[in-house]
Amino acid sequence: MDSREDRISKILEENLLRLDDVLACMVARKGMEGIVPPSDKFKINDVGVWQVLQKTMNEFFDIIEAYSSYGLNKVYFELGEYDVMFFILPRTDVALIAVISSLANRGLLEVEMENARRQILQVLEEDGQ
């Protein structure tokens, strides 16, 4: 049987990265620790953009930590030509994160993100997390 990380990585690749508008995705916590598909699957190759996105995402984890106990479950931010969507996993400091084009259909992607989040939660429950 595949490890929990392998199953979650497969969910990210098959459910989100297959979509044209999802430029990158991961399940991570502050410090970008977590499950990240191979970077060759991402559609963002500019190292400078990645550095800015990672710094900004880390800062958003401070907000997530501060407000998750109040029921915060989604956070969005726009950074230039990118939107970043955080779908927080309940009772954790971990989020499903997708970087999308700012021109993408956010409503459609929210549905895909929610479906992926549910599948990830199911994997975690199966593993007793």
Side-chain angles (χ1 to χ4, degrees):
M1 181 173 198
D2 290 337
S3 72
R4 174 182 64 184
E5 289 79 12
D6 290 340
R7 289 181 284 159
I8 291 173
S9 186
K10 186 175 181 180
I11 291 167
L12 295 174
E13 289 181 40
E14 292 180 358
N15 292 21
L16 298 175
L17 286 175
R18 69 173 174 75
L19 301 169
D20 290 338
D21 288 329
V22 175
L23 307 175
C25 64
M26 63 200 70
V27 174
R29 63 175 34 98
K30 190 172 184 176
M32 303 317 291
E33 297 174 23
I35 301 167
V36 182
S39 60
D40 65 337
K41 305 264 186 202
F42 292 168
K43 299 169 190 113
I44 300 174
N45 299 314
D46 184 335
V47 175
V49 168
W50 266 119
Q51 290 172 338
V52 171
L53 283 170
Q54 287 181 320
K55 181 180 184 315
T56 308
M57 284 190 262
N58 270 339
E59 291 172 3
F60 266 84
F61 275 109
D62 292 335
I63 294 168
I64 290 168
E65 289 172 15
Y67 294 100
S68 63
S69 63
Y70 296 102
L72 179 70
N73 69 357
K74 295 177 191 160
V75 176
Y76 303 88
F77 73 86
E78 296 177 19
L79 187 64
E81 60 192 66
Y82 303 103
D83 287 357
V84 181
M85 303 166 65
F86 288 80
F87 277 49
I88 301 151
L89 303 183
R91 298 171 303 284
T92 72
D93 61 348
V94 177
L96 168 60
I97 304 165
V99 180
I100 64 173
S101 163
S102 62
L103 302 174
N105 180 339
R106 190 187 284 182
L108 173 67
L109 293 175
E110 284 180 353
V111 171
E112 296 292 341
M113 288 280 288
E114 186 59 42
N115 289 338
R117 176 168 56 178
R118 286 183 184 144
Q119 289 179 22
I120 291 165
L121 289 171
Q122 183 176 359
V123 167
L124 295 175
E125 287 173 12
E126 290 169 359
D127 285 5
Q129 292 290 317

